[in-house]
Structures are given as structure tokens and as C-alpha cells.
Amino acid sequence: MPNRPSSLPNRAGLGLKPQHYATIHSERPDVGFFEVHAENYMMAGGPAHRHLTAIAEQYPLSLHGVGLSIGAARPLDRDHLERLRVLEQRYAPLAVSEHLAWSSHDIGFLNDLLPLPYTAETLARVVEHVDTVQTVLGRPILLENPSTYVLFEASDVDEIDFLTQVARRSGCGLLLDVNNVMVSCTNHRVDPYAYIDRFPLPLIGEIHLGGYDEAVDGRGERFLIDAHGSETRPDVFALYEHVIALAGPRPTLIEWDNDVPDFPVLYAEAARVDDVLARGFLNLRRAS
Amino acid sequence: MNHAAALARFAAAVTDPALPPPQDIVTPEGPIDPLRFAVYRNNVHVGLVGALEARFAVTRRIVGDPFFRGMARAYVAEHKPASPLMFAYGDDFPAFVASLVEIAAVPYLADVAMLEVRWSHAYGAADVQPMTVADLARIPPDQLADCRAFFHPSAGWLHSDYPVATIWALHQEPDVPRFELGSGESVLVIRPDSDVLLHSLEPAEAAFVDHLIRGHTLGEAAEAAAAYPKFDFGTCLVGLVSIGALVALTPSIEDHA
């Protein structure tokens, strides 16, 4: 087995939502880890930090950034990177992750994970940015594959090759979002199983699962939109089982950020994932 | 291909619906499909409007979802966030609201929005232990007049010609009772511990707080407040300390010219 790119447990984790703080404090549910969006805790103090501090004392924590704009052409926002460093120091999470995407431009922060062309130029820029983040934080991060709806004519590097090269050159690990694989592959007419079979599985430090929405594009063809507003769809879950069968168990987060349900609904999703992870582990043990 | 140029074209088109999608993005079938590009436009728009909806929940309840979204859409078009901290987006949304002629029927709306700015600032401010009445008692009384006040990091205040704190409180639940527009209110917002608290101030207290926040000494603030009825220096100061509004009172280090 290669060195694990993250020290989160090989369990199901949940995104931590303020509406569930009270339930988690009082019931101490058996959840493998909790993950937060780093930007939601970048205020100086207050109740959000008190809740997170209490929960981080009881559970492994993963810090997931959505605002560094690693895929942008411009230099990283040093103020924002410093905020991330302070937060990382404060909570000592077991994983820190960000996206292969950009969200800030000269006009400001656009609050969406936007796509970039995959070329030698953008690869060098992303490697430089990941390197800067890791130098400031003093630890490796995980970089997540994006959901995309369009392609750039100029792209001449395949997405998997791009991610693999970023990981090799910067030393980062990868966060495989299986829902994003389904979304992007469906939208770009690629077989998602072929994508997984080519993905550098030993680099996966964490997996994300979430729900997509369906739409129809201008040609009348079905396309998928990353939505994080429902349970994981059956085709994504089947693809996830394929990933675990190939890669062995990995820390797996249920991402449900919109129309957040009551805690038991999330907990049931986590239980479903823990079942798959337990099976994967047993298979690995039998194989060895 | 230039990375910066490609993203500049994308950013311009994603924020301006009047522009066509960038010409350098494609789909597997060929040229760009505007419906696919529209997903990004929608995400940016919905994300930023959603951040305002979350931060200005009472403002939204007062005018209803459709009108609020109209205001938010217009604001988002002109004011992109400077940082990725969505809880801090919209500090100047109240000023934007105040500039709209359409809000004439709800003249208190911009002040409620400003109260919500103060509220969210207080929510995330640094955690500091406020000074206590015992701390206050240790300051020799003859030194008090020359002291300046250090407010708690969460403290913010505003004066409105409308009963803004009352209106805010009435709109915490979806069923809003009928209410009369009474007289104006001055509100001190603080979070001395875990809860954000709103305190309505009498005119004399408001003048006192206003002067202290602007850096005047207790003596100067008391002089200004004495112009209003019912001002009592001791009661007012002990009141401020009791609600956790102050962190310290320190002797003035400047000489008065």
C-alpha cells in the first residue's frame, strides 16, 4: 500500500451544518468525521467557532476550502491564504482540500467553482499555486476534480493527466468527487467507468459523494448539474462502489449543502457508505 | 492560449448576461451551447443573491422574496464581493437599499438592513471578556471623567428615525403582527458571550454611547448627554458595563489642548 495521502479514517463523514450542531452535541452520533467549508469559519470568534471547537474535540475534522481560486491566472490572495493558515493552525484538521477551479477575478469573488483550460501553461500555474498553499500551510493538501458543463477549445491536456501531473509535481493528494465524475463525464460524453479506471487511485486521500440535478441542453440532450441538494443518485453510488472495489476503503464525505435535510437523513446516507467501506475493507483483507 | 485572457473572457461573460458566451469554450458536439454556459451564470447569480438572503433575512421578510431578489439582483450586478467570505458580503447593501425610490412605502427598510449588518458583525467578532461592575469599582471616581472607553469588539450601534429594533424583533417569525410606526430608536448591538443582544437606548444614553464610540472621554460624553432629559452619569455607565458593552476604561493619555 502506498502512503495514505490523508489521515482521515476510512469511514463515512458528513458536512457539518449549523442546523445540526445541537443534535451532534446531544446525541454524539457515530460519524467517521465532519467536514466544514473553511470560509464559513473565517470570522474572528463567536458561536460558530464554539460549536466547531466542541465538535472537533470529539470527531476528526476535514477543512474544505472553496475560495482560494487555485485555478486562476492571477496570484493567490495572500490575505485569504493567511486566513486559511490561521484556521488550519486553530483546528489542526486531518485533511485540507481545495478545488481545481477558479472563483476570483479582477471584478471580485464570483462564488462559483469555474472551469479552466487544461494546458501546459495552466498546469504550471496550478502547480505553483498548490505549492504556495502547501508551503504556507506546511502540509500537503488534496485537490478536487471539478464538475464542468463546458470544455475549452484550447485544452490539450486530459483532466486526469492534469490532476496526476499536479499531484506528482506538487506532492499534493487528490480528492475524488465521484458525483463530479458522473456530471462531467455525462456532459462530455465520456464513460465514467473508463474515467475511474484511468484515475490515479493511490493518490486519493478523500472521496466526495453528492446529488446532481438533471437538465436538457440546447441540443435537447440530457446534461447534469452539480447540486449538492439531494441524496447520492443510484448511478453515482454504483460508480462509488466500483471505486472502493478498485481502490480499497477511503474517507468518504456526503456533501449535502442545499435544502439540507434533518440529521437522520444524512446519517442514513453515511450508514449506506459505511456499509460499502466495510465490505471494501473485508475484500482487501481476503485478497492479501 | 493565454490563461489570464481566457479567464477574463469567461468572467466578463459569466457576469454580463448581455454578452454572448465566450467563443473559446465548446461542448463535445462542437460550438458552445448557451444553455450550458447559463449554468455558470445562474450559479454565480444564485450564489451571491443567496448570500444576501442569508445575511438579510429580516429585510427579506419585510419586503417578501420577489422584491428582495429584485433588489439583491441589482446589487449583485453592481457590487461583487471583495473577498470569499460570504458572511461579510453586503456591508454596503443597506446604503444601496436606501438609494432605491421603490422602498418609499417601507422607509425603515435600509435601517433594518443596517441593523442586520451590525448583527452579523457582532456574531463573528472576536471573543473577549467584557469588563465587570467590579472592574469599574476599582477605578478611582476622580479619574473616571478623563477615561476613554474601549468597547467590546462585537459592539456596534445605530440610530434610526424608526423603531428599528422593535421592527426587527417583530419580524423574527414568519407571522408578523400588525404594528404602528412609533418613534425612532437608537440601538446598541453586542455579543458579550454567545448571544447577540440588541439594546434600545434612551436619547441621553445614545448621546453618551455615540460620543464614547467616537473616542471622547467619559467627561465629554457626559456633558453631551446632559443636554437630554433623565441623564444620570452613574446609572448610564454602570448600565453599559452591566450589559457587557465595555472591555476597559483607561485613563486618557492625551493632554487636552
Side-chain angles (χ1 to χ4, degrees):
Chain A
M1 282 277 286
N3 285 339
R4 290 163 41 127
S6 120
S7 50
L8 289 170
N10 288 330
R11 289 277 318 270
L14 292 174
L16 179 61
K17 300 296 165 196
Q19 52 269 55
H20 299 146
Y21 286 151
T23 303
I24 296 163
H25 294 319
S26 64
E27 296 181 13
R28 299 275 170 84
D30 178 25
V31 174
F33 64 97
F34 281 102
E35 182 164 292
V36 295
H37 285 179
E39 283 70 15
N40 289 344
Y41 292 86
M42 286 182 176
M43 62 285 275
H49 281 296
R50 295 184 189 199
H51 289 296
L52 185 57
T53 299
I55 287 165
E57 282 169 3
Q58 302 290 331
Y59 296 92
L61 183 69
S62 166
L63 210 53
H64 188 51
V66 296
L68 265 182
S69 202
I70 280 175
R74 58 197 224 142
L76 293 175
D77 177 344
R78 286 287 176 164
D79 291 343
H80 195 62
L81 191 48
E82 175 60 13
R83 289 191 282 260
L84 184 63
R85 190 191 68 78
V86 168
L87 196 64
E88 197 274 343
Q89 290 276 308
R90 184 168 183 166
Y91 289 101
L94 295 188
V96 178
S97 50
E98 253 287 354
H99 299 84
L100 178 59
W102 60 283
S103 48
S104 289
H105 202 261
D106 299 344
I107 45 178
F109 178 70
L110 300 177
N111 198 33
D112 191 29
L113 298 164
L114 300 168
L116 60 145
Y118 299 144
T119 67
E121 181 195 359
T122 62
L123 176 60
R125 190 71 47 69
V126 169
V127 169
E128 179 194 322
H129 286 171
V130 171
D131 194 51
T132 301
V133 175
Q134 295 183 144
T135 302
V136 168
L137 297 184
R139 65 182 293 167
I141 64 166
L142 305 174
L143 193 66
E144 177 177 340
N145 61 298
S147 274
T148 55
Y149 314 111
V150 301
L151 300 167
F152 283 85
E153 206 167 31
S155 288
D156 54 9
V157 181
D158 164 84
E159 181 169 286
I160 294 174
D161 293 338
F162 195 97
L163 286 163
T164 306
Q165 285 297 319
V166 173
R168 292 230 170 98
R169 295 192 203 172
S170 72
C172 76
L174 298 178
L175 193 169
L176 177 68
D177 187 315
V178 179
N179 185 58
N180 288 356
V181 171
M182 185 60 74
V183 167
S184 295
C185 287
T186 302
N187 292 346
H188 306 319
R189 320 288 180 234
V190 173
D191 175 2
Y193 285 82
Y195 185 102
I196 293 301
D197 292 346
R198 288 192 49 233
F199 201 85
L201 303 175
L203 295 173
I204 300 173
E206 185 184 341
I207 292 173
H208 276 182
L209 290 174
Y212 59 69
D213 283 347
E214 298 185 62
V216 174
D217 71 13
R219 294 168 54 91
E221 309 255 6
R222 172 179 182 258
F223 82 110
L224 304 183
I225 300 173
D226 186 27
H228 295 183
S230 66
E231 68 288 337
T232 303
R233 306 292 182 193
D235 55 349
V236 173
F237 204 81
L239 185 62
Y240 169 66
E241 292 181 294
H242 179 70
V243 170
I244 297 304
L246 289 179
R250 298 299 159 101
T252 303
L253 180 84
I254 304 296
E255 276 194 309
W256 198 324
D257 300 322
N258 302 307
D259 301 323
V260 176
D262 289 343
F263 191 79
V265 177
L266 287 186
Y267 192 73
E269 281 283 280
R272 194 154 83 103
V273 164
D274 274 331
D275 283 348
V276 173
L277 291 171
R279 283 207 305 274
F281 187 67
L282 289 174
N283 287 342
L284 272 186
R285 291 281 287 264
R286 268 205 301 274
S288 62
Chain B
M1 207 272 323
N2 177 283
H3 185 184
L7 268 49
R9 284 191 293 272
F10 198 103
V14 89
T15 51
D16 185 354
L19 290 176
Q23 293 306 298
D24 59 338
I25 57 173
V26 293
T27 66
E29 286 83 11
I32 179 54
D33 176 343
L35 286 186
R36 286 178 173 225
F37 187 71
V39 175
Y40 292 110
R41 274 188 183 144
N42 187 59
N43 282 353
V44 170
H45 175 75
V46 169
L48 295 178
V49 168
L52 295 174
E53 286 175 337
R55 192 175 185 197
F56 297 98
V58 171
T59 307
R60 178 184 171 195
R61 185 166 282 156
I62 289 172
V63 294
D65 282 350
F67 190 84
F68 186 88
R69 286 202 190 110
M71 291 197 301
R73 185 177 302 126
Y75 176 81
V76 164
E78 301 287 321
H79 306 76
K80 295 296 182 291
S83 92
L85 306 187
M86 286 298 97
F87 59 78
Y89 177 45
D91 278 354
D92 53 0
F93 183 63
F96 176 83
V97 169
S99 74
L100 301 174
V101 293
E102 291 83 358
I103 63 152
V106 274
Y108 48 83
L109 193 66
D111 287 350
V112 171
M114 181 52 81
L115 186 58
E116 296 197 281
V117 167
R118 298 268 187 268
W119 193 97
S120 54
H121 169 79
Y123 181 85
D127 294 305
V128 178
Q129 193 72 35
M131 71 180 288
T132 63
V133 176
D135 297 329
L136 177 61
R138 279 193 285 274
I139 301 172
D142 61 340
Q143 288 180 18
L144 272 179
D146 284 332
C147 285
R148 290 173 206 274
F150 285 83
F151 277 79
H152 193 270
S154 65
W157 93 285
L158 87 159
H159 173 77
S160 173
D161 292 337
Y162 302 93
V164 64
T166 304
I167 294 168
W168 183 89
L170 286 171
H171 287 80
Q172 291 305 302
E173 299 297 330
D175 292 326
V176 179
R178 293 183 61 86
F179 62 92
E180 301 284 324
L181 275 190
S183 52
E185 283 177 352
S186 296
V187 189
L188 181 61
V189 182
I190 40 168
R191 184 182 55 76
D193 187 30
S194 52
D195 295 326
V196 178
L197 305 173
L198 271 53
H199 299 277
S200 287
L201 304 180
E202 296 294 325
E205 294 170 323
F208 190 65
V209 165
D210 178 46
H211 279 75
L212 292 183
I213 283 186
R214 288 196 278 125
H216 293 284
T217 63
L218 294 187
E220 291 161 353
E223 204 171 309
Y228 296 86
K230 293 192 292 185
F231 177 68
D232 179 81
F233 176 74
T235 310
C236 192
L237 183 58
V238 171
L240 278 181
V241 172
S242 312
I243 62 173
L246 303 183
V247 171
L249 291 170
T250 58
S252 174
I253 46 172
E254 301 167 42
D255 279 330
H256 294 281

